Amino acid sequence: MSKNTATPGHSRMSARTRRLAVAGAATLASAALAFTLVPGSSQTTSEAVSAAPVVFGQEQVKDVKASVTGQLAGATVKAEADAAKKKAADVAAAKKAAAKKKAAKERKAKEAASRSAKRAALKKATTKTYGNNLDGWIREALDIMGNKGIPGSYDGLYRNIMRESTGNPNAINGWDVNAQNGTPSIGLLQVIQPTFNAYHVSGTSTSIYDPVANITAAANYAADKYGSIDNVNGAY
């Protein structure tokens, strides 16, 4: 009679249990293998994809070249357009500056001409005119005398002129002692040449027959000898 050799408290693994264990291990191994083959799920998959060579066709290369060439051409055209635009702006700015400078120059020239015209008009307006007659000669002589500090009045000049020459600027005394000595009295106030030369007033004519020059020289002489032509009441 055979004996049961199993240890009390222990049971021998049955065949069914062993088969279940083997099946479970196989199932786990299959699952692990399947996980590694899922795209994007592990490093192994990525390395496999990366290692695969990338191949482009001729048409694709042509398309890329054409695209790059087009982009370069577009950039060149844009750069040329920008340069042309800047050049045009610079030329326009230069023309504007030149026009502004020219306008300023013309404005200054006009202003200068206007000032010159105003000065000429003012000078003409302030320039005193005198009649070519006894009244005008006396008044002009008085203005010159006033500027030179020579005393005398209209009445003093007129009175002595009328006595000496009756207002004739070409009058000549050919009979008095001066005439006898070869230096006749000449002009409105009957001045001899040496006296006229000595007392001639600068700015007037050097001709003894000139009415204004004759009056001012005689008045200058009278001021030196008598204090003023107004103080002369006879031959002097």
Side-chain angles (χ1 to χ4, degrees):
M1 181 176 180
S2 61
K3 298 180 179 180
N4 186 2
T5 59
T7 305
H10 293 275
S11 65
R12 184 177 296 177
M13 182 182 293
S14 64
R16 184 173 179 274
T17 301
R18 286 195 299 272
R19 286 196 300 271
L20 290 174
V22 171
T27 302
L28 289 175
S30 298
L33 180 61
F35 179 78
T36 58
L37 294 178
V38 175
S41 63
S42 69
Q43 183 178 357
T44 302
T45 304
S46 299
E47 291 177 353
V49 173
S50 299
V54 178
V55 179
F56 293 99
Q58 292 183 354
E59 292 300 325
Q60 290 177 312
V61 172
K62 288 181 180 180
D63 291 343
V64 171
K65 287 183 178 180
S67 177
V68 172
T69 302
Q71 291 177 5
L72 292 176
T76 302
V77 171
K78 185 177 184 302
E80 291 177 350
D82 291 342
K85 185 177 180 180
K86 184 178 182 302
K87 184 177 180 180
D90 292 342
V91 171
K95 288 182 178 180
K96 185 177 180 180
K100 187 176 180 181
K101 185 177 181 180
K102 182 180 179 182
K105 186 176 180 180
E106 291 177 350
R107 183 174 63 254
K108 287 183 178 179
K110 288 181 180 179
E111 290 174 353
S114 178
R115 287 194 298 269
S116 179
K118 287 179 180 178
R119 285 195 298 268
L122 181 61
K123 183 177 180 181
K124 184 177 180 181
T126 57
T127 300
K128 197 171 182 178
T129 57
Y130 306 93
N132 188 26
N133 50 41
L134 182 58
D135 177 73
W137 300 331
I138 293 175
R139 293 186 184 282
E140 184 175 357
L142 284 170
D143 285 342
I144 295 172
M145 289 164 58
N147 291 331
K148 300 294 184 179
I150 301 171
S153 66
Y154 187 99
D155 291 338
L157 291 174
Y158 181 81
R159 173 167 46 80
N160 282 284
I161 289 172
M162 294 308 292
R163 185 188 68 252
E164 294 292 334
S165 66
T166 65
N168 180 9
N170 297 313
I172 300 176
N173 186 330
W175 53 268
D176 65 3
V177 65
N178 292 321
Q180 293 173 12
N181 293 330
T183 55
S185 299
I186 299 172
L188 291 175
L189 285 171
Q190 292 293 281
V191 184
I192 62 175
Q193 190 67 53
T195 300
F196 178 84
N197 294 340
Y199 290 93
H200 174 259
V201 177
S202 62
T204 63
S205 172
T206 56
S207 172
I208 194 172
Y209 290 97
D210 181 83
V212 176
N214 189 283
I215 293 172
T216 54
N220 194 25
Y221 167 78
D224 183 44
K225 298 300 182 181
Y226 307 102
S228 173
I229 191 69
D230 294 345
N231 298 330
V232 178
N233 296 300
Y236 62 104

